[in-house]
Amino acid sequence: MPVTQDTPDYIQHPPHAYRITSDEEAISIAHEIAAYLQPGAAERDLSGVVPPEVVDTFSNSGLWGITIPREYGGAEVSAATLAAVIAIISAADPALGQIPQNHYCLLEDIRLQGSDEQRRFFFELALSGHRFANALSETGGKTVQDIQTRLTRTAEGLRINGRKGYCTGSLYAHWLGVLALDEEGRAQLAFVPRRAPGLTVVNDWACLGQRTTSSGTVLVDNLPVEPFNLIASWKSYDTPTLAGPFAQLTTAAIDAGIARAALNDTVSFVNQFARPWIDAGVERAGDDPLTIYQIGVLDSRIAAAEALLEQAGKVLDRYKHHLSERRWRWLRSPWRAPKSLPPKPRWRPLHGCLSWGERVQPIHATTSIATGVMAACTRCTILCAGNTTCLATGFSTARLRRVTTGTRRDHARFSR
């Protein structure tokens, strides 16, 4: 979002979210919300503005509360279902599909390290429709782990000072999770209301694609924090938990949804705008055998990625409550991606030169690929997904090669 534009008030209306009760209902509502979000996705990406009612409709659907444990009133859907929900939404609007990712991760931090009282308080907020956003990462440091934001004790109480970047969903949030190091150098996660004194959300996010994720800057200046609102997030990475794989699974789900959207947009564009190659001997670009072949290859590999995503989710479900240190170390061991996976997609050769024009809005998904994949750590995502899926399930790399190179489908889309 450009810093010069006016920012709508996204938290002016009290939330009133529907409560989803099952995995099946979550998938069904995800498809309904995707159908609602998809028609205006390209226009929103071009303008960089999301109307408040769109964000409210999304969060009030109940999808933002589906991971909350049943004992606290949630549906506690499986990780595989959560990944599918994120992919479905991301295929409709890649930016809005990315916004709840950190929301889910923050709720997972609360589940892992929060007290029973903290869980009840924050889970009830999420179930009622409150949106959580992150203020975790920082810019300017030598590495992503170079955190300068500090939590200190003063005569007036706990205070946080620092500057955060890549704070996805911050403009839309009712609450922000601010990561800071305490006086012992340990990572603490402080949950603060969006309008807390000392907290400033800057509307300065501007990039190619994913323009409406609101991933800009958050400034914290002597920000007061109640001790009750602190979560010792350092414990999630100091002891065996699936906090890291959970974050990577949800990130991979966004990428899978964007890939599916890009493929669907490509098929639509080729049928509507692309011209056939002069020597192809066909009337329509969609009838070119080489084009059909490339679409088939992309479709097969996206299908393989979706299958791996589902398998990875099932592994997280299996070890969610029973993770030994031995298994944890196994999941963290090195894994090498099979060579059959393509290094990059081949979208533009299928689109042709016209696809770079601003009037061709459906192809905005390809710019979302560029931004979304660069925002995530590709090496880390591949490592965690590979470890989680191939090692823990026995889904071997040899089998993965057979899936990615041997899957053949009836690609009859161009005849529709």
Side-chain angles (χ1 to χ4, degrees), residues 102 134-139 164-168 205 214-218:
N102 281 289
N134 85 95
L136 307 178
S137 188
E138 298 180 12
T139 59
K164 295 294 184 176
Y166 307 117
C167 302
T168 297
W205 178 244
S214 175
S215 299
T217 302
V218 168

Side-chain angles (χ1 to χ4, degrees), residues 362-389:
I363 299 300
H364 85 282
T366 56
T367 60
S368 295
I369 289 177
T371 301
V373 174
M374 287 299 290
C377 174
T378 304
R379 291 172 60 189
C380 191
T381 301
I382 291 176
L383 175 64
C384 288
N387 288 342
T388 304
T389 303

